[in-house]
Amino acid sequence: MFAQTPPHDGVAQYEKLAPRYDRLHHRWLRYAGGEAQAALEALVRALAVPGTALLDAGCGTGNLARTLVAEGLPSNVITLLDPSEAMLARCVDIAAPKIKGRLEALPFKDGTFDIVTCAWALETVPNPTLALAELCRVVRPGGVLCLAFCAHVPARGLTDSLMRQALLYRGTGQFLSRKHVIETIENIAGFDVRAIPSNGPAATLLAKRVAETVTDPF
């Protein structure tokens, strides 16, 4: 199991949080998840090449996509997906397709994207196992899944503890076991997973889908 008390479906809460989400999330990154976020962004910068098809799953207000576009990634290669209409409405300045959809039922064909990012969304769904299966499903052979999520690790001090309690109090997410997330992805055939070091109650993972090989019949 990922957690003893998985969250309920919190889409309605995120609809209400949308106008102040960026302020709350900035506080989380400043005091708890900043290193994990920086690690994820570094992965995408290193892996994105011209023509890369990228899905930002659980895009929220679009901050990750906005950063990538500002650094030169064309917006037309990015697809934004989120279950909250209010969150997607905050992405109006990003010239990219915007799709309302859930991590547990992605509306895309198998192997659609070269890079799939999911930052601070996996821990918000009631069924992370199903969400991981869907995220992996839409990665092309040779492509990657980049994850950043709230992780259940020992608190470093009072600030860590307060940030954890704030998240749990709002009921908008949970802290996942990094080990279990890795094992879940590894159980999906064809994926190699690597944890990217970072401090704080957060984790960044890189999961690469092994490229298919063509067997010479002769």
Side-chain angles (χ1 to χ4, degrees):
M1 294 177 63
F2 276 99
Q4 294 180 349
T5 55
H8 61 279
D9 191 338
V11 175
Q13 288 175 278
Y14 279 98
E15 290 280 315
K16 296 177 182 178
L17 280 175
R20 56 193 180 96
Y21 175 81
D22 285 341
R23 177 170 56 83
L24 294 172
H25 189 58
H26 176 74
R27 187 180 302 163
W28 164 258
L29 293 181
R30 180 178 179 183
Y31 293 109
E35 288 190 21
Q37 176 75 21
L40 182 135
E41 292 179 5
L43 287 174
V44 178
R45 291 188 194 100
L47 295 167
V49 297
T52 292
L54 185 148
L55 170 65
D56 187 4
C59 66
T61 58
N63 284 329
L64 175 59
R66 202 171 283 112
T67 297
L68 297 173
V69 170
E71 294 177 353
L73 188 68
S75 59
N76 62 358
V77 305
I78 301 174
T79 298
L80 302 175
L81 177 137
D82 201 272
S84 166
E85 291 183 1
M87 288 291 198
L88 288 173
R90 313 290 289 189
C91 304
V92 66
D93 59 308
I94 306 171
K98 304 169 186 67
I99 298 173
K100 182 182 178 182
R102 300 186 62 93
L103 298 186
E104 308 98 314
L106 296 176
F108 309 109
K109 294 181 180 179
D110 294 0
T112 300
F113 300 97
D114 300 296
I115 299 175
V116 175
T117 63
C118 183
W120 318 113
L122 181 64
E123 64 269 53
T124 70
V125 301
N127 192 335
T129 299
L130 180 56
L132 284 170
E134 280 289 278
L135 291 166
C136 289
R137 179 183 64 80
V138 300
V139 177
R140 287 176 181 161
V144 297
L145 168 62
C146 301
L147 293 171
F149 56 91
C150 300
H152 183 63
V153 296
R156 294 177 299 176
L158 179 60
T159 301
D160 264 14
S161 297
L162 290 175
M163 294 303 295
R164 291 168 190 262
Q165 291 303 314
L167 179 70
L168 296 173
Y169 175 77
R170 288 197 300 269
T172 53
Q174 60 184 314
F175 290 89
L176 304 178
S177 162
R178 182 174 61 182
K179 179 176 181 289
H180 192 68
V181 173
I182 292 174
E183 290 175 347
T184 300
I185 299 173
E186 288 178 337
N187 286 334
I188 300 171
F191 276 86
D192 292 327
V193 188
R194 181 160 59 100
I196 309 302
S198 65
N199 291 314
T204 302
L205 302 180
L206 172 65
K208 183 173 183 179
R209 186 171 186 178
V210 179
E212 295 176 348
T213 58
V214 178
T215 302
D216 189 342
F218 301 103

